[in-house]
């Protein structure tokens, strides 16, 4: 019976994988904008999976997660744009052709820098819980955004509120994502290749998260989430486990930020506001805390919902003769949709089946 279940799951995964691979080819028939929406949705899935480690597994409410997103984005922007060579003569002398960081350097470096930032954030918050932890992490996220906004004088590092532009597109060997790729007489636009790259990263993230959830570390995180005092009494090193949760979650944010910078070709502090952190937390809570399929579902819905509601807000604005602003109306519709969903499904759209259940009593 178990073998049949494994085979059924494998067939479902293979069919889902094949569907996701060909989906952008089908969506491209309706315009590149739809493929772009799907690519951005996958980036939010990657972010939500990282935050799920901190919030869903370890139970640490982090409202400053966007800081790691910004760290990865600015790291890639600085290493793959002419900004540093234009402002620092010694860098220009060392790299006369400019900094063009390859992907095999970008992803590990973004993960390492963001992971270090996560440990730095986690260290002073080890004794905080609940609302106090949320307020401190919120402040950390805002501090990073303010730093990015002001690190222009006396030394121009981030270019301030103007942001950094002319960022290189991602490239893998001879494949440049900034140019269409011709395969079997068919041209694949760069946005489709970005979609496949983000999909591959999401698959890797899902494998890592699922393995973590079933590991001793994952069980320890969940013990801390349920009762930290009891977990400490059982001999768990809660300090190191919390730092590990912050660091592991931050690595996903750093990689997502680097991909975002390459995808957009431009970064500025306006992309990393508090609202972004709130939206990512909402994705995790809306989908189902600690449950990977639920987190993915919540991220996809909340990432795609604002774009879909553009088509609803426009006609409603016309009905009111333009008295309602379409952007404000769209935010109102998103809030109403979230309230209705949480009233109907308070534990999330797809909650973990084990959440809230006691462990089975062994038979003697």
């Amino acid at each position: 019976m178990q073998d049949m279940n494994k085979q059924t799951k494998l067939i479902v995964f293979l069919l889902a994988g094949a569907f996701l691979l060909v989906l952008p080819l089908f969506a491209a028939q309706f315009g590149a904008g739809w493929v772009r929406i799907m690519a951005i949705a996958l980036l939010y899935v990657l972010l939500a999976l990282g935050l799920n480690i901190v919030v869903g597994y370890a139970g640490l409410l982090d409202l400053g997660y966007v800081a790691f997103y910004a760290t990865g984005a600015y790291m890639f922007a600085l290493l793959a744009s002419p900004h540093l060579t234009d402002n620092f003569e010694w860098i220009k002398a060392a790299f006369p052709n400019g900094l063009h960081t390859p992907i095999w350097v970008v992803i590990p470096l973004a993960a390492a820098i963001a992971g270090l930032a996560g440990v730095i954030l986690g260290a002073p918050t080890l004794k905080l819980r609940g609302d106090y932890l949320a307020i401190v992490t919120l402040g950390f996220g805002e501090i990073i955004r303010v730093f990015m906004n002001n690190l222009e004088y006396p030394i121009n590092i981030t270019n301030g509120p103007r942001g950094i532009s002319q960022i290189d597109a991602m490239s893998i060997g001879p494949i440049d994502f900034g140019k269409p790729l011709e395969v079997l007489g068919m041209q694949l636009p760069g946005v489709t290749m970005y979609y496949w790259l983000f999909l591959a990263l999401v698959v890797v993230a899902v494998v890592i998260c699922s393995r973590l959830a079933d590991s001793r570390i994952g069980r320890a995180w969940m013990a801390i989430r349920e009762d930290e005092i009891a977990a400490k009494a059982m001999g768990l090193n809660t300090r190191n486990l919390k730092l590990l949760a912050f660091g592991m979650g931050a690595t996903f944010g750093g990689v997502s930020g680097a991909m975002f910078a390459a995808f957009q070709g431009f970064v500025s502090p306006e992309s990393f506001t508090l609202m972004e952190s709130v939206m990512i937390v909402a994705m995790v809570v809306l989908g189902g805390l600690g449950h990977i399929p639920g987190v993915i579902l919540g991220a996809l819905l909340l990432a795609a919902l604002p774009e879909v509601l553009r088509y609803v807000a426009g006609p409603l604005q016309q009905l009111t003769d333009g008295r309602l602003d379409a952007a404000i109306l769209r935010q109102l519709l998103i809030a109403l949709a979230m309230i209705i969903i949480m009233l109907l499904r308070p534990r999330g759209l797809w909650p973990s089946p084990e959440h809230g259940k006691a462990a089975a009593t062994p038979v003697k």
Side-chain angles (χ1 to χ4, degrees), residues 15-28:
L15 290 175
F19 172 74
L20 290 173
L21 283 174
V22 301
L23 183 59
L25 302 178
F26 174 75

Side-chain angles (χ1 to χ4, degrees), residues 245-256:
F246 273 113
M248 283 293 298
T251 57
F252 288 79
V255 173
S256 302

Side-chain angles (χ1 to χ4, degrees), residues 115-154:
L116 179 62
V119 173
I120 292 173
L121 167 63
T125 63
L126 292 174
K127 294 185 179 180
L128 300 176
R129 300 178 195 168
D131 300 339
Y132 300 101
L133 177 63
I135 293 299
V136 171
T137 54
L138 183 152
F140 178 79
E142 283 299 288
I143 287 170
I144 294 296
R145 185 185 64 80
V146 172
F147 261 92
M148 299 302 183
N149 205 34
N150 290 278
L151 281 179
E152 185 178 8
Y153 299 106

Side-chain angles (χ1 to χ4, degrees), residues 33-38 40-41 279 299-316 326-327 329-331 333-334 337:
W34 288 102
V35 184
R36 188 176 185 83
I37 291 171
M38 293 190 299
I40 291 292
M279 284 294 289
L300 290 175
L301 284 178
L302 280 187
L305 191 61
E307 303 301 330
V308 173
L309 287 179
R310 288 182 191 274
Y311 299 96
V312 179
L316 287 178
L329 183 59
R330 188 162 58 98
Q331 292 295 326
L333 293 173
I334 294 170

Side-chain angles (χ1 to χ4, degrees), residues 9-312:
K9 287 182 178 179
L10 181 61
I11 292 172
V12 171
F13 287 148
L14 290 175
L15 290 175
F19 172 74
L20 290 173
L21 283 174
V22 301
L23 183 59
L25 302 178
F26 174 75
Q29 307 300 318
F30 302 95
W34 288 102
V35 184
R36 188 176 185 83
I37 291 171
M38 293 190 299
I40 291 292
L42 288 176
L43 266 186
Y44 276 109
V45 170
L46 195 59
L47 283 168
L49 287 171
L51 186 61
N52 184 55
I53 294 176
V54 184
V55 179
Y57 290 171
L60 305 170
L61 184 55
D62 186 357
L63 291 181
Y65 190 70
V66 75
F68 312 123
Y69 189 36
T71 301
Y74 270 91
M75 184 278 304
F76 182 77
L78 291 172
L79 295 179
S81 74
H83 178 74
L84 288 180
T85 54
D86 289 347
N87 289 278
F88 298 92
E89 289 296 331
W90 63 273
I91 295 179
K92 186 175 182 179
F95 300 93
N97 296 324
L99 292 167
H100 304 284
T101 313
I103 189 173
W104 53 269
V105 174
V106 169
I107 293 180
L109 192 59
I113 293 176
L116 179 62
V119 173
I120 292 173
L121 167 63
T125 63
L126 292 174
K127 294 185 179 180
L128 300 176
R129 300 178 195 168
D131 300 339
Y132 300 101
L133 177 63
I135 293 299
V136 171
T137 54
L138 183 152
F140 178 79
E142 283 299 288
I143 287 170
I144 294 296
R145 185 185 64 80
V146 172
F147 261 92
M148 299 302 183
N149 205 34
N150 290 278
L151 281 179
E152 185 178 8
Y153 299 106
I155 301 174
N156 189 357
I157 298 177
T158 64
N159 211 28
R162 292 172 294 175
I164 300 175
S165 59
Q166 302 180 44
I167 302 173
D168 294 342
M170 196 62 70
S171 60
I172 301 176
I175 302 174
D176 186 355
F177 286 31
K179 302 175 183 176
L181 178 66
E182 189 168 343
V183 179
L184 301 176
M186 179 175 60
Q187 277 201 342
L188 298 175
V191 66
T192 301
M193 293 187 284
Y194 273 114
Y195 170 90
W196 285 331
L197 174 61
F198 298 163
L199 180 62
L201 290 174
V202 167
V203 170
V204 172
V206 168
V207 172
I208 292 173
C209 290
S210 61
R211 302 288 283 183
L212 277 174
D214 296 331
S215 67
R216 292 179 63 183
I217 294 174
R219 296 297 179 185
W221 282 336
M222 293 172 194
I224 293 172
R225 178 190 68 193
E226 298 302 328
D227 193 331
E228 184 179 346
I229 296 175
K232 198 169 186 178
M234 292 297 292
L236 292 178
N237 191 330
T238 55
R239 177 178 64 87
N240 290 351
L241 286 167
K242 283 183 177 181
L243 287 177
L244 183 61
F246 273 113
M248 283 293 298
T251 57
F252 288 79
V255 173
S256 302
M259 297 300 107
F260 172 77
F263 185 59
Q264 293 288 100
F266 171 78
V267 294
S268 72
E270 293 179 358
S271 300
F272 311 106
T273 60
L274 173 62
M275 193 59 196
E276 285 293 313
S277 274
V278 173
M279 284 294 289
I280 300 167
V281 173
M283 291 172 184
V284 177
V285 175
L286 183 68
L289 279 171
H291 195 218
I292 294 174
V295 170
I296 293 173
L297 178 62
L300 290 175
L301 284 178
L302 280 187
L305 191 61
E307 303 301 330
V308 173
L309 287 179
R310 288 182 191 274
Y311 299 96
V312 179

